[in-house]
Amino acid sequence: MSEGPKKTKYSATRRLLLKQKLLKKAGVLLVQEQSNKVTERESTLSERVPPLKLSGLSVQELQELCKELHRKCDTVDEARYDIEAKVLKNEKELVDLNAKINELKGGKRPNLKRVKKSADAMLGALTEAKLSSKADFKSNLKTVKKDKKEEEKADPGDWRKNVESMSGMEGRKKLFNS
């Protein structure tokens, strides 16, 4: 048997109590984290964007304030555009580098498409391959030339004459003599 450290067994009620305490503590921490985020956001906004003082300003001063705000918006838009351009350039460079890595590894292999063939089509393809191999075998055989005597024996001519000449005792006699 294993002689490792023994695990303490908790009862079901004890486990339920621990679970409830953990959930309660997690809820408190979550609420606290959300409130910290809200206060941090408000403090950064107050630092970066001072509150507008519009009361007691003349029309000329309001126009100057609007022009200044427009200039700030333009500079922020330019900075945002520059950052987006850098990000796009970096992404394109990453794609190019990944393509080079794939080339060095052995190239990108295309995804193969599954081909569905019926059983008849598969059997047809197999039999065609076998037939073509038989035809190749026959074409590789050597041709044998026959002698004239063999051709005469092989070509009996008209079979009726041959049957008449071989009929009766004379035909049998010819077979024994040859």
Side-chain angles (χ1 to χ4, degrees), residues 13-30:
T13 55
R14 178 76 176 152
R15 279 184 284 176
L16 184 62
L17 180 66
L18 289 173
K19 186 177 180 181
Q20 287 175 347
K21 285 184 178 182
L22 283 173
L23 287 174
K24 189 181 283 187
K25 181 68 174 176
V28 168
L29 289 175
L30 185 64

Side-chain angles (χ1 to χ4, degrees), residues 20 39 48 63-64 70 72 76 79 82 88 102 106-107 110 134 146 159 161 168 172:
Q20 287 175 347
T39 55
R48 290 185 183 179
Q63 287 178 347
E64 287 296 321
H70 277 288
K72 286 183 180 180
V76 169
D82 292 340
L88 289 175
N102 286 336
K134 286 181 183 177
K146 296 182 181 179
W159 61 274
K161 291 179 185 176
R172 290 190 183 146

Side-chain angles (χ1 to χ4, degrees), residues 116-128:
K116 294 182 180 179
K117 277 192 171 182
S118 65
D120 295 333
M122 292 176 88
L123 286 174
L126 286 173
T127 54
E128 287 176 10

Side-chain angles (χ1 to χ4, degrees), residues 29-47:
L29 289 175
L30 185 64
V31 169
Q32 194 176 33
E33 185 179 333
Q34 287 175 347
S35 64
N36 286 343
K37 281 185 180 180
V38 168
T39 55
E40 184 180 337
R41 183 174 187 270
E42 289 175 359
S43 64
T44 53
L45 281 177
S46 64
E47 289 176 9

Side-chain angles (χ1 to χ4, degrees), residues 78-164:
E78 288 174 3
R80 182 179 53 86
Y81 178 77
D82 292 340
I83 291 172
E84 284 179 359
K86 287 180 184 178
V87 168
L88 289 175
K89 181 183 173 187
N90 289 340
E91 287 177 352
K92 185 178 179 183
E93 188 176 330
L94 282 173
V95 169
D96 291 341
L97 290 174
N98 284 334
K100 285 183 182 179
I101 288 171
N102 286 336
E103 287 178 18
L104 292 174
K105 284 184 178 178
K108 185 176 181 182
R109 294 185 180 126
N111 294 335
L112 299 177
K113 294 183 180 178
R114 187 175 294 262
V115 178
K116 294 182 180 179
K117 277 192 171 182
S118 65
D120 295 333
M122 292 176 88
L123 286 174
L126 286 173
T127 54
E128 287 176 10
K130 288 181 182 177
L131 290 176
S132 66
S133 66
K134 286 181 183 177
D136 292 339
F137 179 71
K138 287 180 180 178
S139 66
N140 290 334
L141 291 176
K142 292 182 181 178
T143 57
V144 179
K145 294 183 180 179
K146 296 182 181 179
D147 293 336
K148 290 183 179 180
K149 293 178 183 177
E150 289 179 12
E151 288 179 11
E152 290 174 3
K153 288 181 182 177
D155 186 24
D158 190 13
W159 61 274
R160 283 173 257 149
K161 291 179 185 176
N162 194 13
V163 169
E164 289 173 4

